[in-house]
């Protein structure tokens, strides 16, 4: 991947300068061989095996965590705007796992009509809903059944992400309001300096695992 189209995130990964056409597809191709992220492993420590339950993987990208969920017995609805992501993921899955996967190629701004799910995984994706973040969050929480598990990353107010025209950064009070309907069991706040296409970059990320409270 062209290094001029990347920046380095808080986990030390290259993150696409995604205003460029095809950037997400190129970025996702570089991620196929990496291990599942720690946030997904922590989520499954709490949620356990799927036993046929339904999970939503929001912004599944390379599908590494989607494959982990399928391997742990979950059925998965995987949503991503990259039109190449679904075919790339299906090509790598065993036939039995592929039967438990549904892919929707859709931008976050168009997210609607979600089914009831028992788990939501949204690592490094929700901030890219931009101005639609709060509406997408409400839709996701409405789909998550009481007692269901959610893991996500949210960008904090000191994040200086500048590689997109529309990335949601949140003040601490906004993060707290979003998490108010969850019993949080894991929360990590990360800050890291790096470099991007435009120069120095500062990442400020809230990584969270929580369980939805009953209404």
């Amino acid at each position: 991947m062209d290094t001029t189209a990347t920046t380095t995130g808080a986990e030390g990964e290259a993150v696409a300068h995604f205003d460029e056409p095809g950037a997400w597809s190129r970025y996702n191709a570089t991620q196929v061989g990496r291990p599942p992220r720690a946030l997904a492993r922590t989520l499954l420590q709490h949620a356990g095996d799927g036993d046929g339950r339904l999970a939503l993987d929001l912004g599944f990208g390379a599908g590494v965590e989607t494959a982990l969920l399928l391997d742990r017995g979950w059925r998965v609805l995987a949503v991503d705007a990259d039109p190449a992501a679904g075919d790339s993921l299906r090509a790598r899955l065993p036939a039995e796992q592929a039967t438990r996967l549904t892919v929707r190629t859709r931008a976050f701004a168009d997210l609607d009509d979600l089914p009831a799910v028992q788990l939501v995984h949204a690592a490094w994706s929700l901030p890219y809903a931009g101005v639609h973040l709060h509406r997408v969050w409400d839709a996701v929480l409405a789909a998550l059944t009481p007692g269901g598990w959610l893991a996500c990353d949210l960008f904090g107010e000191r994040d200086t992400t500048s590689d997109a025209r529309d990335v949601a950064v949140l003040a601490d009070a906004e993060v707290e309001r979003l998490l108010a309907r969850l019993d949080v069991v894991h929360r990590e706040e990360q800050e890291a300096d790096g470099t991007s296409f435009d120069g120095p970059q500062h990442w400020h990320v809230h990584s969270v695992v929580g369980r939805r409270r009953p209404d």
Side-chain angles (χ1 to χ4, degrees), residues 2-67:
D2 182 357
T3 56
T4 63
T6 64
T7 184
T8 302
E11 292 190 353
E13 299 180 16
V15 179
H17 180 68
F18 70 88
D19 287 341
E20 299 180 359
W24 279 123
S25 294
R26 296 194 299 273
Y27 167 65
N28 289 336
T30 71
Q31 297 296 294
V32 169
R34 65 167 173 78
R37 292 187 176 98
L39 187 68
R41 297 194 300 268
T42 300
L43 172 64
L44 288 174
Q45 287 174 3
H46 293 279
D49 292 339
D51 296 324
R53 291 180 291 169
L54 181 61
L56 171 66
D57 195 356
L58 189 59
F60 67 93
V64 174
E65 286 73 32
T66 314

Side-chain angles (χ1 to χ4, degrees), residues 3-9 15 17 159-164 192-203:
T3 56
T4 63
T6 64
T7 184
T8 302
V15 179
H17 180 68
D159 195 283
T160 60
T161 301
S162 58
D163 63 348
D193 291 317
T195 57
S196 74
F197 179 77
D198 296 317
Q201 179 87 32
H202 185 79
W203 291 86

Side-chain angles (χ1 to χ4, degrees), residues 157 170-179:
E157 60 189 340
L170 303 172
D172 289 349
E174 292 179 279
V175 174
E176 297 303 328
R177 283 196 293 272
L178 289 183
L179 301 181

